């Protein structure tokens, strides 16, 4: 368990991200894909149902023993909360109400944020734009681990710790790699979140708050659903920086597994990404793909050639000036 991972640096490349040229090729060949862009009218109802389910759960857990609070947080509530973070991911691309209703999307993301327990949606939106625009960008794409993470979390036991602590790295890494001024939306997001937390605490006590926050942290750490964090962009095969997963967990994660398709067409809602693959099958069927997020986590921990350094990086020299 103490053997160090083989990589000592990121995989530096000097080409543009592949999603740019593949998008152009696919649209030239299949212009009907443009009809899939736009908002998903069902998304707001699905998300609302999930939020209400978690509010009901807050009422139900108020009298449980602490061990059962954590049990249900990991096995049920955290799964919903993780799914809600992926709904927020979809909403960040304005697919809940469309590009013409950008503010409605921002406020609805705050509503989807409520069961997560901590403010998240506004900050995620601010940085996720860079992840798409500057994929792999040095000091721009905060989805990429820092050098310190790559250097230290390099053995199986340390990689397990890194996976457990993953939600904290995702929250703190942007402040180190590419800090940005706090926006008004972030302040509003925090105000709304903490007011609702206070109301829940007033009505039902501390256990529902712990249920929500613990579920979010636990299920974004070492959990089968969290395999998507590693599966999406960690370089399991040299030269490939984005991977899709077409398994059943897509049903509860807003099709985030269709990640190659998502980066090619970020304005297409997750619910329609399977249609992209169906229409342009020859562009995706032969690309490397994952078949199990649990297997992804296992390989990440025990394969000496895979670790936090297993990411493609590139320089965007003009990005800071734009």
């Amino acid at each position: 368990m103490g053997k160090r991972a083989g990589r000592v640096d990121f995989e530096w490349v000097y080409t543009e991200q592949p999603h740019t040229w593949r998008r152009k090729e696919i649209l030239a060949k299949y212009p009907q894909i443009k009809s899939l862009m736009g908002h998903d009218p069902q998304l707001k109802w699905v998300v609302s149902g999930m939020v209400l389910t978690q509010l009901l759960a807050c009422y139900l857990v108020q009298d449980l023993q602490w061990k059962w609070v954590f049990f249900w947080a990991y096995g049920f509530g955290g799964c919903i909360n993780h799914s809600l973070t992926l709904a927020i991911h979809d909403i960040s691309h304005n697919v809940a109400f469309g590009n013409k209703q950008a503010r409605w999307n921002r406020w609805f993301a705050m509503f989807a944020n409520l069961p997560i327990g901590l403010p998240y949606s506004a900050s995620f939106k601010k940085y996720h734009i860079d992840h798409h625009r500057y994929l792999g960008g040095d000091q721009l794409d905060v989805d990429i681990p820092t050098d310190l993470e790559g250097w230290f979390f390099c053995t199986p036991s340390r990689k397990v710790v890194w996976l457990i602590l993953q939600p904290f790295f995702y929250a703190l890494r942007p402040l180190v790699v590419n800090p940005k001024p706090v926006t008004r939306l972030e302040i509003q997001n925090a105000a709304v979140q903490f007011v609702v937390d206070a109301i829940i605490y007033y009505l039902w006590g501390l256990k529902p708050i712990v249920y929500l926050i613990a579920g979010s942290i636990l299920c974004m750490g070492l959990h089968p659903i969290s395999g998507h964090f590693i599966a999406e962009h960690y370089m399991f095969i040299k030269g490939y920086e984005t991977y899709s997963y077409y398994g059943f967990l897509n049903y509860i994660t807003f099709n985030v597994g269709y990640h190659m398709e998502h980066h090619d067409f970020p304005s297409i809602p997750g619910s329609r990404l399977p249609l992209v693959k169906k229409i342009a099958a020859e562009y995706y069927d032969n690309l490397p793909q994952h078949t199990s997020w649990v297997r992804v986590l296992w390989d990440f921990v025990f394969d000496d050639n895979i670790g936090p350094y297993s990411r493609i990086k590139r320089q965007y020299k003009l990005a800071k000036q734009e």
Side-chain angles (χ1 to χ4, degrees), residues 56-77:
L56 175 60
C58 286
Y59 168 77
L60 294 175
V61 304
Q62 61 179 316
D63 296 322
L64 292 181
Q65 296 179 14
W66 280 109
K67 64 179 180 180
W68 293 112
V69 171
F70 286 102
F71 173 83
W72 288 111
Y74 186 81
F76 177 74

Side-chain angles (χ1 to χ4, degrees), residues 88-134:
I88 291 170
H89 164 257
D90 236 17
I91 297 166
S92 73
H93 293 283
N94 293 333
V95 301
F97 295 95
N99 288 321
K100 294 182 179 180
Q101 301 291 340
R103 188 159 293 275
W104 279 91
N105 286 286
R106 302 290 80 76
W107 280 99
F108 189 65
M110 294 183 197
F111 174 70
N113 194 148
L114 295 179
I116 295 171
L118 297 170
Y120 162 82
S121 64
S123 298
F124 175 81
K125 165 70 176 179
K126 181 171 69 175
Y127 285 102
H128 189 63
I129 294 172
D130 288 344
H131 173 60
H132 277 269
R133 184 179 298 167
Y134 309 122

